[in-house]
Amino acid sequence: QSVAVAAAAAAAASPRAAAVAVSSGRLMAQQAALVEAISVTFQQHFAYFFMSFRKHCMRDVSDPGNPVTIFLPDSFLTEVPPRDRTFFERFLDTQMFRAYADTRLRRRDESQQQRSAAMARRA
């Protein structure tokens, strides 16, 4: 709808400006669709590549109300086939992977915090 408003405002100024506004809006919509498609593709591949992610995590529960989980990359790499190991060694050092891992670990810790809080309320 904001594209339509921009196009109407531009049409009032000039027909060429209206065409540029509509074209720009379409381009933005196409870019957003492309970004979404890439995001979904990465998520699907990450899910496949890191099916055993949880298996390679360790959680410090010395404070049950504030668990801290870490990913153990060396443990993960022991299960990667030798032909793929160089790729994964490098990939684990990328910002993209760190963001993925941080999100997964944060969700896991938050879930543990909620379970601990629920158990404390029952006690």
Side-chain angles (χ1 to χ4, degrees):
Q1 188 176 15
S2 63
V3 171
V5 171
S14 77
R16 176 148 170 68
V20 168
V22 169
S23 177
S24 176
R26 285 188 191 134
L27 180 60
M28 288 174 52
Q30 290 172 340
Q31 288 172 338
L34 181 60
V35 167
E36 179 64 22
I38 291 170
S39 176
V40 167
T41 301
F42 270 114
Q43 288 173 10
Q44 290 168 345
H45 282 86
F46 274 42
Y48 175 75
F49 287 150
F50 299 105
M51 286 186 292
S52 64
F53 183 88
R54 282 182 69 166
K55 187 169 128 179
H56 304 285
C57 293
M58 185 183 339
R59 178 180 292 149
D60 175 3
V61 290
S62 56
D63 178 1
N66 189 27
V68 176
T69 305
I70 60 170
F71 176 70
L72 305 169
D74 292 336
S75 173
F76 173 78
L77 290 170
T78 63
E79 291 191 359
V80 173
R83 71 180 189 281
D84 298 331
R85 195 161 293 137
T86 300
F87 167 79
F88 278 98
E89 286 171 345
R90 292 178 180 161
F91 186 72
L92 295 180
D93 284 332
T94 65
Q95 182 178 357
M96 186 183 309
F97 176 74
R98 285 191 297 273
Y100 170 79
D102 287 347
T103 299
R104 295 257 331 243
L105 296 169
R106 191 175 318 110
R107 280 191 208 140
R108 190 169 182 202
D109 290 342
E110 288 169 355
S111 176
Q112 178 64 35
Q113 283 177 314
Q114 291 170 354
R115 282 193 300 275
S116 293
M119 289 174 44
R121 283 191 299 269
R122 287 186 213 145

